[in-house]
Amino acid sequence: MISQAVADGIRTGRISMQYRRWDAPRVKVGRTQLTPAGLVEFVSVTRVPDVEALTDRQARAAGMPDAAALRRALAPRERPPGPRGSRGGAHVYRVRVRWVGEDPRIALRERIPDEAEMAELVAAVDRLDARATGPWTRRILEWIRRHPRVVSTQLAAELGRDVLPMKVDIRKLKALGLTISHDVGYELSPRGVAYLERDRGFERRAEVS
């Protein structure tokens, strides 16, 4: 995970590396990760043989004030064994990173789909709805449309859902360009409005027939 502050530093070029304690590398060179400040690429991944040899300059390049602070952040921590390994992993890795572009969802959410793209979008939303608990996307989208920028806990209460799983669902809609996240709440994107209007058009034609 890359925090907002670190992502902003990578975007400006102030931060060019990150350090992680893993049993084995969990990122691949050349791959990208979507962060709060856009797309970040993993340029290289190397094992750090001696954490005590880390310098203040290297620490500042990772967004830390000095080497002592970086070493404290990398110190092993007692945690129950699990899929991510106990104590945060046996080895320390240096990951060189760089900012490579804006969040692609920003451009996507402004784009009104043509007929072919709308058919693909409808199919993608249908796949989200095809789960054991039944369809859910339309209810969330309609609520957000009626209540933009309303705190997520209110939305969760309205839907009778736990907040965190609901936020995961909304991120799925955001990945399709249908919603926009704010510091407080959400709103429909132009793409999201077009999607709902398409559904309403079908409903009106069904009522007439």
Side-chain angles (χ1 to χ4, degrees):
M1 297 294 291
I2 297 177
S3 68
Q4 177 78 61
V6 171
D8 288 341
I10 296 172
R11 181 182 180 121
T12 63
R14 179 176 58 83
I15 294 176
S16 60
M17 63 181 68
Q18 288 287 276
Y19 292 84
R20 294 292 187 271
R21 179 172 283 279
W22 295 324
D23 289 324
R26 294 185 189 152
V27 298
K28 292 186 177 181
V29 173
R31 295 284 181 89
T32 59
Q33 178 178 327
L34 187 58
T35 75
L39 284 175
V40 168
E41 180 184 11
F42 305 118
V43 179
S44 67
V45 184
T46 55
R47 184 173 163 183
V48 178
D50 183 5
V51 175
E52 295 301 319
L54 291 171
T55 66
D56 289 342
R57 181 178 180 181
Q58 290 172 324
R60 288 191 292 271
M64 303 295 286
D66 52 39
L70 178 58
R71 283 192 288 270
R72 286 195 298 271
L74 293 171
R77 291 178 174 81
E78 294 292 348
R79 298 191 304 186
R84 291 185 176 273
S86 62
R87 298 168 60 86
H91 310 297
V92 171
Y93 290 88
R94 178 187 295 113
V95 184
R96 292 193 177 275
V97 293
R98 64 170 181 164
W99 187 83
V100 291
E102 298 288 354
D103 183 340
R105 297 172 301 186
I106 295 175
L108 180 63
R109 70 194 188 194
E110 299 296 325
R111 191 168 74 234
I112 305 302
D114 58 22
E115 186 174 345
E117 190 176 1
M118 181 63 79
E120 294 176 358
L121 177 58
V122 169
V125 175
D126 286 346
R127 287 193 292 271
L128 294 180
D129 277 334
R131 66 188 189 191
T133 53
W136 56 272
T137 59
R138 178 68 175 272
R139 189 179 180 196
I140 285 182
L141 289 170
E142 289 283 9
W143 196 95
I144 291 174
R145 181 173 190 165
R146 294 192 304 270
H147 306 283
R149 297 177 181 256
V150 173
V151 65
S152 57
T153 52
Q154 185 174 334
L155 171 55
E158 174 82 13
L159 299 177
R161 299 194 53 185
D162 293 332
V163 174
L164 292 181
M166 183 199 70
K167 285 186 173 183
V168 171
D169 279 345
I170 294 176
R171 283 199 293 270
K172 295 174 184 176
L173 297 172
K174 184 177 179 180
L176 295 176
L178 299 177
T179 63
I180 301 170
S181 299
H182 296 289
D183 290 340
V184 176
Y186 312 92
E187 69 175 313
L188 289 191
S189 67
R191 185 180 182 86
V193 172
Y195 170 79
L196 282 186
E197 287 301 323
R198 175 261 183 200
D199 266 9
R200 288 178 175 178
F202 274 103
E203 288 176 356
R204 287 193 291 268
R205 288 194 290 274
E207 290 172 358
V208 171
S209 62

